[in-house]
Structures are given as structure tokens and as C-alpha cells.
Amino acid sequence: MPEQLTHYGSKISVFAQRTAIALREVNAEYTDCDVDFDNKPDWFFRASPVTTLVPVIAYGGPVAPPEQPSAESAKISESAVILEFIAELFPSAAGLLPKDPVKRAAARLFVKLLDTKLVPPQFAWMQDGAPPDEIFEVLQTLQTLLPEDGQGKYAVGDEFTIADAALAPMWARIRLIVGKGIGAKEWGREEHIAAASRALESPELARFVAYADRLLERPSVKATWYEDLNVVYWSKKAAAHAHE
């Protein structure tokens, strides 16, 4: 049975939601510690000696309060690394890493493309009001990696994997910002929101949108998605940018 596990995350973090989804998928017993995203407490840096970012997993060592992390526990950071760690820690609990080596490689490639190709333009769009064009170009590329219609519900087949856990939080925020029109007035980007809305409804992306929307219905995704908090957070980001 796995040792004690503490998850340091944030309800507004894309990357912490990824790992929270994975923990839900494997029914892990863990301590969840919500870290103030913009004002991290001093003790967090003892839990995360390598990075200032969430998520971080503290694994092993004696049971300790999250605010007093044990020096004996392993501190693991970077959401892509943590996703694989969780999958390997609970190999019989969920199919987060497929047994088939081809599908396993496909899931890893999907995560890699998300982090290298989609994260930069999506965060430029969410944080700075950049045009969304590049986002939807990347989504078209990702769509080519999906199973053909009828050959699988998720990124690499019928099993929910690390690929789906990695995408779901990003997609939730795309849907949120477009659906609520967040930043449209503050950044004067009504055209950007309209362009994103058209892309989401376009036949060229229909297969990807159907897949990604399916992720939002997954119980683990619903349980880790705090829409009201994210509306407040991203609206504040837009308002702050407008006054710069």
C-alpha cells in the first residue's frame, strides 16, 4: 500500500487540477493542501525546495501536517511528472498509463504536445488577451492524434489516461473564458472571444470539441473544477491588465 501522500495544489491552478484529477481517478488516500496561488506561505518552500510552483507531492516519511512537511518525504514537482508518478504508484487502480507500449507512448506524446505547443498560446490568451488563433491551430493538430470515430472515447482509446487528465483543466478554462466572455471588455478583445466561439463551433474542430467536452463530464474533473473561483480569478487578471 502506498505511503502517506500530501498534495500541494490550488483550486485555480491548471496544473494542480491535473494531478488532483489523477488522484481522484485512482481513489488515492491523501492530504490535500490548498496553497494561496499568488501569496505562497514560507512553509511551502520547505515542501517544494525545487520549484515555486504548484502542484507538489510529498510522498513517504512520517505523517506530518502539510504546513510542517517531513524532511524524510520525497518532494515531487511538475504536473507531467506527477501524473506518471501517480499512475505508477497505483498501477492496478486505473489505466492512467496504458499497458500497451504504443498507447503509453501516445499518451506521453499528447501530454508533451499540450505542454510545449498549447500551454504558451493559451496562457498568452488567458493572461494577456492575445489572439486565440494559435490555440485552435494546435487543437487541430491534437485532433489528428485522436482515435477515429467509434474507436475510443478518450485521447488514446477507451481508457481515461494521463493525456486526458492533462487536457481537461485547460479545456475547462477555454470553455469558461469563451462562455463568460471574460476579458472581452477589459482587454477590448470582443473580437478574440467571438473568434474563439466560432472556432469551437466549427466543423473543422467538431471531433476534438466532442472529445474535450466529454472530459468535463468525468466525475474526477467535475470534483476538481471550481468554476466560481476561476471566474473571479481570471476576471481579476483581466481587470488588472486593463489598468496597467
Side-chain angles (χ1 to χ4, degrees), residues 7-13 32-41 43-44 47 52 54 56:
H7 178 255
Y8 296 90
S10 167
K11 293 180 174 64
I12 56 169
S13 167
D32 192 35
C33 183
D34 194 58
V35 178
D36 187 329
F37 197 66
D38 291 322
N39 298 289
K40 298 181 181 72
W43 56 258
F44 173 72
T52 62
V54 293
V56 172

Short mmCIF file of all heavy atoms in Angstrom, two decimals, residues 7-13 32-41 43-44 47 52 54 56:
data_model
loop_
_atom_site.label_atom_id
_atom_site.label_comp_id
_atom_site.label_asym_id
_atom_site.label_seq_id
_atom_site.Cartn_x
_atom_site.Cartn_y
_atom_site.Cartn_z
N HIS A 7 -0.80 16.36 -1.22
CA HIS A 7 -0.89 17.07 -2.49
C HIS A 7 -0.99 18.56 -2.21
O HIS A 7 -1.95 19.02 -1.59
CB HIS A 7 -2.13 16.61 -3.27
CG HIS A 7 -2.35 17.31 -4.57
ND1 HIS A 7 -3.32 18.29 -4.75
CD2 HIS A 7 -1.73 17.19 -5.77
CE1 HIS A 7 -3.29 18.71 -5.99
NE2 HIS A 7 -2.34 18.08 -6.64
N TYR A 8 0.03 19.31 -2.63
CA TYR A 8 0.02 20.77 -2.51
C TYR A 8 -0.45 21.33 -3.85
O TYR A 8 0.22 21.16 -4.88
CB TYR A 8 1.42 21.28 -2.18
CG TYR A 8 1.94 20.83 -0.84
CD1 TYR A 8 2.67 19.65 -0.73
CD2 TYR A 8 1.70 21.57 0.30
CE1 TYR A 8 3.14 19.22 0.50
CE2 TYR A 8 2.17 21.15 1.54
CZ TYR A 8 2.88 19.97 1.63
OH TYR A 8 3.35 19.55 2.86
N GLY A 9 -1.61 21.95 -3.84
CA GLY A 9 -2.16 22.46 -5.09
C GLY A 9 -2.87 23.78 -4.90
O GLY A 9 -2.65 24.50 -3.93
N SER A 10 -3.74 24.09 -5.85
CA SER A 10 -4.53 25.32 -5.80
C SER A 10 -5.77 25.10 -6.64
O SER A 10 -5.70 24.49 -7.72
CB SER A 10 -3.73 26.51 -6.33
OG SER A 10 -4.58 27.61 -6.56
N LYS A 11 -6.89 25.61 -6.17
CA LYS A 11 -8.16 25.42 -6.88
C LYS A 11 -8.23 26.22 -8.17
O LYS A 11 -9.15 26.02 -8.97
CB LYS A 11 -9.33 25.79 -5.96
CG LYS A 11 -9.51 24.84 -4.78
CD LYS A 11 -10.69 25.25 -3.91
CE LYS A 11 -10.98 24.22 -2.82
NZ LYS A 11 -9.88 24.09 -1.86
N ILE A 12 -7.29 27.12 -8.39
CA ILE A 12 -7.31 27.90 -9.63
C ILE A 12 -6.17 27.52 -10.58
O ILE A 12 -6.06 28.09 -11.66
CB ILE A 12 -7.27 29.42 -9.34
CG1 ILE A 12 -6.05 29.75 -8.49
CG2 ILE A 12 -8.56 29.87 -8.69
CD1 ILE A 12 -5.79 31.23 -8.37
N SER A 13 -5.34 26.57 -10.16
CA SER A 13 -4.20 26.19 -10.99
C SER A 13 -4.57 25.13 -12.01
O SER A 13 -5.09 24.06 -11.66
CB SER A 13 -3.07 25.65 -10.10
OG SER A 13 -2.08 25.00 -10.87
N ASP A 32 -4.97 16.87 1.14
CA ASP A 32 -4.99 17.93 0.14
C ASP A 32 -4.72 19.27 0.83
O ASP A 32 -5.39 19.62 1.80
CB ASP A 32 -6.35 17.97 -0.55
CG ASP A 32 -6.33 18.85 -1.79
OD1 ASP A 32 -5.30 18.89 -2.48
OD2 ASP A 32 -7.35 19.50 -2.08
N CYS A 33 -3.72 19.98 0.34
CA CYS A 33 -3.36 21.27 0.92
C CYS A 33 -3.47 22.35 -0.15
O CYS A 33 -2.72 22.35 -1.14
CB CYS A 33 -1.93 21.22 1.46
SG CYS A 33 -1.41 22.75 2.28
N ASP A 34 -4.44 23.24 0.02
CA ASP A 34 -4.66 24.31 -0.94
C ASP A 34 -3.73 25.48 -0.62
O ASP A 34 -3.76 26.03 0.49
CB ASP A 34 -6.12 24.77 -0.89
CG ASP A 34 -6.48 25.65 -2.08
OD1 ASP A 34 -6.35 25.18 -3.22
OD2 ASP A 34 -6.90 26.79 -1.87
N VAL A 35 -2.89 25.83 -1.57
CA VAL A 35 -1.88 26.87 -1.38
C VAL A 35 -2.35 28.16 -2.05
O VAL A 35 -2.84 28.12 -3.19
CB VAL A 35 -0.53 26.43 -1.99
CG1 VAL A 35 0.52 27.53 -1.84
CG2 VAL A 35 -0.05 25.14 -1.34
N ASP A 36 -2.23 29.27 -1.37
CA ASP A 36 -2.58 30.57 -1.95
C ASP A 36 -1.69 30.79 -3.17
O ASP A 36 -0.48 30.95 -3.05
CB ASP A 36 -2.38 31.68 -0.93
CG ASP A 36 -2.88 33.04 -1.42
OD1 ASP A 36 -2.84 33.29 -2.64
OD2 ASP A 36 -3.31 33.85 -0.58
N PHE A 37 -2.31 30.79 -4.32
CA PHE A 37 -1.59 30.79 -5.59
C PHE A 37 -0.66 31.99 -5.74
O PHE A 37 0.45 31.88 -6.25
CB PHE A 37 -2.64 30.77 -6.72
CG PHE A 37 -2.11 30.36 -8.06
CD1 PHE A 37 -1.66 29.08 -8.27
CD2 PHE A 37 -2.11 31.25 -9.12
CE1 PHE A 37 -1.19 28.69 -9.52
CE2 PHE A 37 -1.65 30.87 -10.37
CZ PHE A 37 -1.20 29.59 -10.57
N ASP A 38 -1.13 33.16 -5.33
CA ASP A 38 -0.36 34.39 -5.54
C ASP A 38 0.45 34.83 -4.33
O ASP A 38 1.31 35.71 -4.44
CB ASP A 38 -1.31 35.52 -5.95
CG ASP A 38 -1.89 35.31 -7.34
OD1 ASP A 38 -1.14 34.84 -8.21
OD2 ASP A 38 -3.07 35.61 -7.55
N ASN A 39 0.16 34.25 -3.16
CA ASN A 39 0.89 34.62 -1.94
C ASN A 39 1.26 33.35 -1.16
O ASN A 39 0.69 33.05 -0.12
CB ASN A 39 0.02 35.53 -1.05
CG ASN A 39 -0.32 36.84 -1.75
OD1 ASN A 39 0.53 37.69 -1.94
ND2 ASN A 39 -1.58 36.98 -2.16
N LYS A 40 2.21 32.63 -1.70
CA LYS A 40 2.57 31.34 -1.11
C LYS A 40 3.24 31.56 0.26
O LYS A 40 4.12 32.42 0.40
CB LYS A 40 3.51 30.58 -2.04
CG LYS A 40 2.88 30.24 -3.38
CD LYS A 40 3.83 29.46 -4.27
CE LYS A 40 3.18 29.16 -5.61
NZ LYS A 40 3.06 30.36 -6.45
N PRO A 41 2.81 30.79 1.27
CA PRO A 41 3.40 30.93 2.60
C PRO A 41 4.83 30.41 2.64
O PRO A 41 5.24 29.60 1.80
CB PRO A 41 2.48 30.06 3.48
CG PRO A 41 1.90 29.06 2.52
CD PRO A 41 1.75 29.77 1.21
N TRP A 43 6.27 28.29 4.55
CA TRP A 43 6.44 26.86 4.73
C TRP A 43 6.32 26.08 3.43
O TRP A 43 6.85 24.97 3.30
CB TRP A 43 5.45 26.30 5.76
CG TRP A 43 4.00 26.57 5.48
CD1 TRP A 43 3.21 27.50 6.05
CD2 TRP A 43 3.17 25.87 4.53
NE1 TRP A 43 1.93 27.46 5.52
CE2 TRP A 43 1.89 26.46 4.60
CE3 TRP A 43 3.38 24.82 3.65
CZ2 TRP A 43 0.83 26.02 3.80
CZ3 TRP A 43 2.32 24.38 2.84
CH2 TRP A 43 1.07 24.98 2.94
N PHE A 44 5.66 26.67 2.42
CA PHE A 44 5.51 25.96 1.16
C PHE A 44 6.87 25.67 0.54
O PHE A 44 7.06 24.64 -0.12
CB PHE A 44 4.66 26.78 0.18
CG PHE A 44 4.60 26.17 -1.20
CD1 PHE A 44 3.87 25.02 -1.45
CD2 PHE A 44 5.30 26.74 -2.26
CE1 PHE A 44 3.83 24.45 -2.72
CE2 PHE A 44 5.26 26.18 -3.53
CZ PHE A 44 4.53 25.04 -3.75
N ALA A 47 8.22 22.48 1.52
CA ALA A 47 7.56 21.37 0.84
C ALA A 47 7.99 21.29 -0.62
O ALA A 47 7.87 20.24 -1.25
CB ALA A 47 6.04 21.54 0.90
N THR A 52 8.90 26.94 -7.26
CA THR A 52 7.96 27.81 -6.53
C THR A 52 6.52 27.57 -6.99
O THR A 52 5.61 28.29 -6.59
CB THR A 52 8.32 29.29 -6.74
OG1 THR A 52 8.21 29.60 -8.14
CG2 THR A 52 9.74 29.57 -6.26
N VAL A 54 2.99 25.19 -7.95
CA VAL A 54 2.19 24.02 -7.64
C VAL A 54 1.83 23.35 -8.97
O VAL A 54 1.80 24.02 -10.00
CB VAL A 54 0.91 24.40 -6.85
CG1 VAL A 54 1.26 24.93 -5.49
CG2 VAL A 54 0.04 25.40 -7.61
N VAL A 56 2.81 20.12 -6.06
CA VAL A 56 3.92 19.37 -5.49
C VAL A 56 3.31 18.21 -4.70
O VAL A 56 2.27 18.37 -4.08
CB VAL A 56 4.79 20.24 -4.55
CG1 VAL A 56 5.82 19.40 -3.82
CG2 VAL A 56 5.47 21.35 -5.35
#
